[in-house]
Amino acid sequence: MRLRRYEELEDHCAYEFAPEHVYRGREHWQPEYRYLPWEEFGPLAQALLQIIPNYNEYGPEKLTLSQWDRAEAQCLGQHPEERAFFASVRQWLDRENRGADTFWILGP
């Protein structure tokens, strides 16, 4: 998995990672967002479904940082090679999320 900027996407079938202060229910393709192509989402989806049983892969889903931390631990337990991905998400959250304890993942 690799987090991307909008201009790095090859197509628009991607999950959008949206900061809490930017996403208000309709905004897509914003410069503050980061993206994960849908074909790379599988390992993360499995972890999120373990942490959030009713996780909706296709809709907007608000995650707490605590849920994200648990999903990260779950995913890395099965896929330790994804450590760089989670580090990049953490850097993005530290820079863009303005201290909020939630953020959004928008489905493709």
Side-chain angles (χ1 to χ4, degrees), residues 31-98:
E32 299 91 348
Y33 291 12
R34 291 299 177 264
Y35 304 91
L36 181 64
W38 71 271
E39 64 269 10
E40 297 178 23
F41 194 69
L44 181 55
Q46 291 172 0
L48 289 169
L49 285 166
Q50 291 291 319
I51 304 305
I52 308 165
N54 60 344
Y55 179 78
N56 181 0
E57 291 183 52
Y58 299 103
E61 191 73 43
K62 188 175 195 174
L63 277 74
T64 67
L65 296 182
S66 174
Q67 289 171 321
W68 179 255
D69 290 343
R70 290 184 300 170
E72 176 180 351
Q74 178 79 23
C75 189
L76 288 175
Q78 298 293 317
H79 303 278
E81 70 278 5
E82 300 299 351
R83 198 165 304 283
F85 167 76
F86 287 101
S88 68
V89 172
R90 183 64 57 189
Q91 289 171 347
W92 170 78
L93 285 168
D94 289 347
R95 186 178 57 252
E96 295 291 343
N97 212 36
R98 296 186 179 174

